[in-house]
């Protein structure tokens, strides 16, 4: 198993990662968001990629998702834990909380969303009934239990276009669609990983309530404050994942 961590808003680097090197890659789909960082955590080797670049400068709809995932495949990655800052819709998804969604609805548009687009010998269709790796999700949930970190172990992630936040009506529609979380980067990241047969799971860090869930406007100050709390829990969970006794990282 070769593990990669993709960091989202609030996680452009991991202070507890002992960095051993980094690599710039060119792919058939252009440049990835940032250099791939190699490091060790609890004696286990892994690869880190800042989804929005480092420093954080690439908005969700401009991320080169295909280059990011292709580069990880080139580096031999078999499993990805994708950390993402999200908004909470369901009542249990309060700011600062962690969730491991098991389903996704894609509301984004205009993104390069597949490797199966050009020069094909035949049309390719992937099974996406279960968009996240069941085994990898199980490992994350077990790690949270071992470390006594409170999580919600399921839920539906709704992926919007961004970079603006959603309207009250849009969040109301997503709630009617049974979305528990709203984010901007969950797709096509998950489906691209599936196309390349990489196990992929999402670690959602709730940064704010979705529009209209509670009174008042959503501010960046509020988001940043909640992310400080949530990301510290996320990093603790990532550490716990590397401590799993049956987890061999190479």
């Amino acid at each position: 198993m070769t593990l990669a961590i993709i960091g989202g808003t609030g996680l452009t680097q991991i202070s507890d990662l002992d960095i051993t090197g980094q690599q710039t890659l060119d792919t058939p789909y252009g440049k990835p968001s940032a250099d791939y960082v190699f490091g060790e955590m609890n004696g286990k080797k892994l690869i880190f990629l800042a989804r929005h670049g480092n420093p954080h400068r690439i908005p969700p709809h401009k991320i080169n998702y295909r280059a990011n995932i292709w580069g990880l495949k080139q580096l031999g990655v078999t499993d990805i834990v994708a950390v993402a800052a999200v908004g909470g819709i369901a009542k249990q998804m309060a700011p600062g909380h962690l969730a491991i969604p098991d389903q996704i609805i894609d509301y984004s548009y205009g993104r390069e969303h597949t490797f199966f687009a050009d020069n094909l010998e035949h049309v390719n269709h992937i099974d996406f009934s279960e968009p996240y790796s069941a085994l990898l999700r199980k490992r994350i949930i077990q790690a949270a239990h071992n470390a006594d970190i409170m999580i919600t172990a399921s839920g539906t992630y709704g992926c919007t276009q961004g970079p603006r936040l959603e309207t009250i009506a849009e969040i109301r529609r997503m709630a009617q669609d049974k979305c528990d979380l709203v984010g901007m980067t969950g797709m096509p990241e998950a489906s691209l990983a599936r196309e390349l047969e990489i196990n992929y799971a999402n670690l959602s860090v709730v940064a704010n309530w979705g529009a209209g869930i509670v009174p008042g406007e959503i501010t960046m100050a509020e988001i940043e404050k909640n992310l400080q709390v949530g990301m510290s829990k996320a990093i603790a969970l990532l550490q716990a994942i590397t401590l799993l006794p049956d987890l061999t990282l190479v």
Side-chain angles (χ1 to χ4, degrees):
M1 176 181 186
T2 301
L3 178 68
I5 297 169
I6 298 179
T9 299
L11 192 65
T12 55
Q13 56 187 352
I14 302 176
S15 58
D16 297 316
L17 181 66
D18 295 325
I19 297 174
T20 58
Q22 62 184 44
Q23 185 172 347
T24 302
L25 281 183
D26 286 318
T27 79
Y29 304 96
K31 289 187 175 297
S33 295
D35 288 348
Y36 296 93
V37 176
F38 299 84
E40 294 185 2
M41 184 180 290
N42 294 316
K44 307 290 179 61
K45 295 179 180 180
L46 53 83
I47 299 171
F48 177 81
L49 176 66
R51 182 189 290 116
H52 296 275
N54 188 11
H56 184 290
R57 64 182 184 275
I58 308 172
H61 67 299
K62 290 294 187 178
I63 292 169
N64 192 338
Y65 295 96
R66 293 195 298 179
N68 287 351
I69 300 299
W70 186 271
L72 291 172
K73 183 69 173 184
Q74 278 187 292
L75 293 171
V77 166
T78 58
D79 295 75
I80 297 171
V81 176
V83 183
V86 301
I89 299 176
K91 62 181 180 180
Q92 70 270 29
M93 302 299 186
H97 190 58
L98 303 184
I100 316 299
D102 60 339
Q103 280 295 323
I104 194 164
I105 299 176
D106 189 5
Y107 301 96
S108 68
Y109 52 88
R111 302 180 180 189
E112 295 289 352
H113 66 281
T114 181
F115 295 113
F116 302 144
D118 303 303
N119 303 315
L120 301 178
E121 295 182 2
H122 56 85
V123 178
N124 298 73
H125 300 285
I126 58 167
D127 175 36
F128 208 52
S129 305
E130 304 290 340
Y132 302 110
S133 165
L135 178 58
L136 186 55
R137 289 184 64 257
K138 184 177 179 180
R139 291 181 184 274
I140 297 170
I141 293 165
Q142 181 62 53
H145 176 76
N146 292 351
D148 198 26
I149 298 171
M150 184 179 294
I151 63 167
T152 296
S154 63
T156 297
Y157 177 122
C159 183
T160 59
Q161 179 70 356
R164 67 167 177 83
L165 298 177
E166 299 74 31
T167 67
I168 292 174
E170 287 169 332
I171 293 297
R172 188 181 300 127
R173 179 189 67 165
M174 295 178 75
Q176 291 172 346
D177 288 347
K178 306 301 183 184
C179 290
D180 301 289
L181 303 160
V182 55
M184 302 175 186
T185 59
M187 287 291 287
E189 201 172 80
S191 58
L192 290 170
R194 179 63 55 82
E195 287 185 353
L196 294 186
E197 300 182 336
I198 302 174
N199 297 320
Y200 178 97
N202 177 278
L203 169 53
S204 285
V205 181
V206 184
N208 57 277
W209 285 113
I213 301 295
V214 297
E217 294 184 358
I218 302 168
T219 67
M220 286 307 300
E222 171 195 357
I223 290 174
E224 290 168 2
K225 178 181 177 181
N226 293 327
L227 278 180
Q228 287 182 356
V229 176
M231 285 300 172
S232 65
K233 296 178 185 177
I235 291 172
L237 180 49
L238 294 173
Q239 290 177 326
I241 293 169
T242 63
L243 288 171
L244 289 174
D246 62 341
L247 189 66
T248 303
L249 305 179
V250 296

